[in-house]
Amino acid sequence: MSERTPMTKILSKFTRFAEAVAAIMMATMFLTFILQIAVRYSARLAWLPDIHPIFEPSNFGWTLEFCLLLWVWLVFWGNAFVVRPRDHVVFDILLNYVRPSLRRKFIIITSCAICVGLFLAIEPTWAKFYILRLKKTATLSSLLGDWVRMRDLYSIYIIFLVVVSLRYGWAAYRAIRFGVEEPENSNTEQKDA
């Protein structure tokens, strides 16, 4: 039985944290969606806001934008921190069929290309985000306050670019240093036949 290293323990705890954050975002998005439905149908009851002003439909315009914001964060957070490389849909017919040395070169080249491409996209993206520092959201100010700007809401994309770039850089390093593993669904039986 092998002991887990301190780095493995930290990585495992961070993975659980990232999954919990994604689950909280998904639950919050779902509850906001349910709130949207409730408000939409209660809006037909004209007497309800008179008795309970909290049910005034005009107070809930933020729900659509909030759901969209959570969806954007969920997609980029999930792809940066939760989704593992083996969970991605890949077209690896050629990759699985070639010999390990060529597979290693494929992985190094594609990982480096993705790493460099995403890393080079950070600066122009941040330049575009600089403009967004002035823009406020249309409806989320009532929920989050006036201090939140569009740049803050979409900052997850910068985090995504940095993290995924580092992940692919790590994949290239591992392929250079340790080689590549045999694919799980390899065609070795077909090659030998």
Side-chain angles (χ1 to χ4, degrees), residues 11-22:
L11 189 59
S12 176
K13 286 182 181 183
F14 180 78
T15 301
R16 282 192 301 246
F17 168 76
E19 290 170 349
V21 169

Side-chain angles (χ1 to χ4, degrees), residues 4-45:
R4 293 180 2 161
T5 65
M7 189 62 178
T8 307
K9 290 178 185 178
I10 292 170
L11 189 59
S12 176
K13 286 182 181 183
F14 180 78
T15 301
R16 282 192 301 246
F17 168 76
E19 290 170 349
V21 169
I24 289 168
M25 283 191 279
M26 184 64 99
T28 305
M29 188 170 66
F30 177 72
L31 293 173
T32 306
F33 176 69
I34 296 298
L35 178 63
Q36 278 180 326
I37 293 171
V39 168
R40 187 170 295 145
Y41 285 103
S42 70
R44 295 180 181 183
L45 307 172

